[in-house]
Amino acid sequence: MTDLYRVLPEEVDKLVTSMEQPRYRADQLLHMLYNEFPKDISSMRQLPAEMRNALSTAGYTIGSADEVHRVVSEDGQTTKLLLKLGDGTLIETVLMQYRKNKGRPRSTVCVSTQVGCQMGCTFCATGQMGFERNLKAEEIVAQVLHFASVLRERGEHVTNLVFMGMGEPLANYTETIRAVKLLTNARAFGLGQRHITISTVGVMKEIDRLADEDLQIGLAISLHAPNDELRRKLVPTAGPHSVGDLISATRSYFKKTGRRVTLEYALINGVNDSPEIAAELATLLKGNGAHVNLIPVNPTAGGFQRPRWKRITEFERILRESDVNCTVRVEKGSEISAACGQLRTDTAKNL
Ligand code: SAH
Ligand code: SF4
């Protein structure tokens, strides 16, 4: 069985030719998939019955991703969905909307790439649940399309995409990149590459591979500490020289793609938030050109706490004084457990 939502446009062309159908049927099929969101092949009535039958006979199908639960934050700007995949697996996908004045909102979808995660970061709910499986490209695409159809009912659309849900995208490299290609191809979903960011905890060889893909997507690296000793306490799977390696990766990514890398830093009370650590980070990053995103940690079962606001702004001030570009990310959706690190499917068991 092959899901039609994992077939790239050039592969659709070949498929249509092999079925002895006229070439325009390829565009028609793609248009239907990415604008009408059909649930199965038989409902694609604009295609001739003969072609629909041929697709089914050849083993093509459309997988399911059914919404089983939806939580909306009080301000209405964050929506978390629990989706049930064809094999019963539950995954979470989040929509964050930012409404500036009266214009159309920026609508960012945050997708999961794995069920669970192997990296085991101590402050991350997903990391603490262990690893179940990789998601297929079509299951990543389905998360975006589900929100696209929800938004379309309100006359809105998906404007941005971040790979910051459950899992480590670069540990599921091939399927993640296939999903990116499907979502950015003008004949498929057609989202601008510059509107996509992949966040990684730092799978070194895959960062280099990503830089060579000739994609204009943004990269965010989750650093969390200015030295290896502290970083390994937070990211137990980090290599012995991960901090230095990651900093050089930001440089080479910029050199190859022209895109600056964002460094994410989860600020944890009493762990990595002291003024001394801020100074160490400032020295490490001075002149590097990277942008630091400080994320006051969201509470999870691990007992980690957010620093007080004064300590957060002090950390930020020390970085800025050394000309290190940085912002504090005001988390959205933490009251519905939809913020970073809070995605955990076993909430579903309580439904
Ligand atoms: N695995 C990738 C992408 C998913 S996690 C990565 O680690 O980058 C997305 C972001 O959420 C990462 O920057 C991660 O460090 C952050 N995060 C995880 N748990 C968090 C928590 N409890 N509070 C705040 N940020 C958290
Ligand atoms: Fe995995 Fe990212 Fe969570 Fe670490 S922070 S456990 S890499 S999802």
Side-chain angles (χ1 to χ4, degrees):
M1 294 293 230
T2 308
D3 196 301
L4 281 177
Y5 282 108
R6 67 174 288 108
V7 188
L8 292 162
E10 53 272 27
E11 296 167 344
V12 173
D13 289 336
K14 284 194 194 129
L15 179 64
V16 164
T17 311
S18 75
M19 289 177 169
E20 293 174 359
Q21 290 287 333
R23 293 196 69 127
Y24 71 87
R25 293 281 182 214
D27 284 323
Q28 206 177 14
L29 174 60
L30 287 162
H31 182 84
M32 268 183 263
L33 289 174
Y34 291 95
N35 293 280
E36 293 168 16
F37 320 121
K39 294 270 170 250
D40 47 45
I41 292 176
S42 60
S43 65
M44 294 199 275
R45 298 248 161 227
Q46 280 145 286
L47 296 178
E50 171 204 2
M51 183 173 165
R52 279 181 270 140
N53 291 339
L55 284 169
S56 302
T57 311
Y60 287 92
T61 171
I62 291 177
S64 59
D66 299 325
E67 182 176 324
V68 290
H69 196 57
R70 184 186 296 201
V71 200
V72 183
S73 64
E74 243 165 55
D75 64 8
Q77 298 201 30
T78 305
T79 307
K80 179 170 76 166
L81 296 185
L82 199 60
L83 298 176
K84 190 176 185 176
L85 302 175
D87 67 350
T89 300
L90 293 168
I91 53 167
E92 292 185 344
T93 310
V94 182
L95 170 72
M96 295 158 289
Q97 294 196 292
Y98 298 80
R99 216 171 281 272
K100 259 199 204 151
N101 305 326
K102 283 194 178 140
R104 288 239 176 101
R106 185 164 87 193
S107 300
T108 304
V109 176
C110 175
V111 290
S112 297
T113 52
Q114 299 182 311
V115 187
C117 184
Q118 274 151 322
M119 312 311 266
C121 301
T122 48
F123 54 89
C124 170
T126 308
Q128 295 307 303
M129 72 182 269
F131 176 71
E132 277 178 39
R133 74 169 173 91
N134 282 325
L135 292 182
K136 307 288 284 176
E138 59 269 33
E139 294 170 330
I140 300 171
V141 169
Q143 298 172 58
V144 180
L145 296 189
H146 196 93
F147 270 123
S149 77
V150 169
L151 287 172
R152 196 183 46 188
E153 286 166 23
R154 307 183 206 154
E156 296 167 2
H157 59 272
V158 175
T159 60
N160 297 73
L161 173 61
V162 292
F163 285 76
M164 295 187 185
M166 302 168 77
E168 169 47 49
L170 298 190
N172 184 16
Y173 189 89
T174 312
E175 295 301 305
T176 294
I177 296 303
R178 183 175 269 270
V180 168
K181 289 187 175 158
L182 288 157
L183 291 165
T184 55
N185 192 304
R187 297 175 65 205
F189 191 63
L191 191 64
Q193 289 181 3
R194 291 179 159 270
H195 294 202
I196 296 183
T197 299
I198 289 188
S199 174
T200 178
V201 76
V203 185
M204 290 309 307
K205 68 175 196 316
E206 306 298 26
I207 295 179
D208 289 340
R209 199 165 150 204
L210 186 65
D212 291 329
E213 290 281 354
D214 201 21
L215 290 169
Q216 279 291 303
I217 55 177
L219 178 67
I221 297 182
S222 299
L223 187 66
H224 309 313
N227 62 65
D228 290 312
E229 196 192 343
L230 180 56
R231 188 163 194 268
R232 270 201 306 274
K233 283 191 191 144
L234 300 171
V235 184
T237 44
H241 309 295
S242 67
V243 171
D245 290 347
L246 292 174
I247 300 304
S248 48
T250 62
R251 287 199 208 99
S252 57
Y253 193 83
F254 176 62
K255 231 177 165 178
K256 283 188 184 160
T257 64
R259 299 223 46 186
R260 290 200 188 281
V261 174
T262 298
L263 292 171
E264 290 163 293
Y265 192 105
L267 270 175
I268 310 171
N269 187 36
V271 177
N272 64 355
D273 65 334
S274 71
E276 294 74 29
I277 292 177
E280 194 182 342
L281 185 64
T283 308
L284 179 75
L285 299 181
K286 208 171 162 48
N288 173 283
H291 182 101
V292 178
N293 215 334
L294 298 172
I295 317 165
V297 78
N298 295 304
T300 60
F304 295 99
Q305 298 294 329
R306 274 182 189 187
R308 294 220 172 119
W309 192 245
K310 213 174 139 235
R311 202 146 156 109
I312 297 171
T313 49
E314 175 65 0
F315 200 96
E316 185 188 17
R317 189 188 60 77
I318 295 169
L319 290 180
R320 289 226 172 118
E321 260 175 16
S322 292
D323 287 331
V324 176
N325 217 317
C326 86
T327 43
V328 178
R329 193 201 290 171
V330 183
E331 275 299 333
K332 302 187 126 290
S334 65
E335 89 272 18
I336 59 167
S337 285
C340 293
Q342 295 186 305
L343 299 177
R344 194 171 172 154
T345 45
D346 67 3
T347 49
K349 292 178 189 132
N350 306 321
L351 289 179

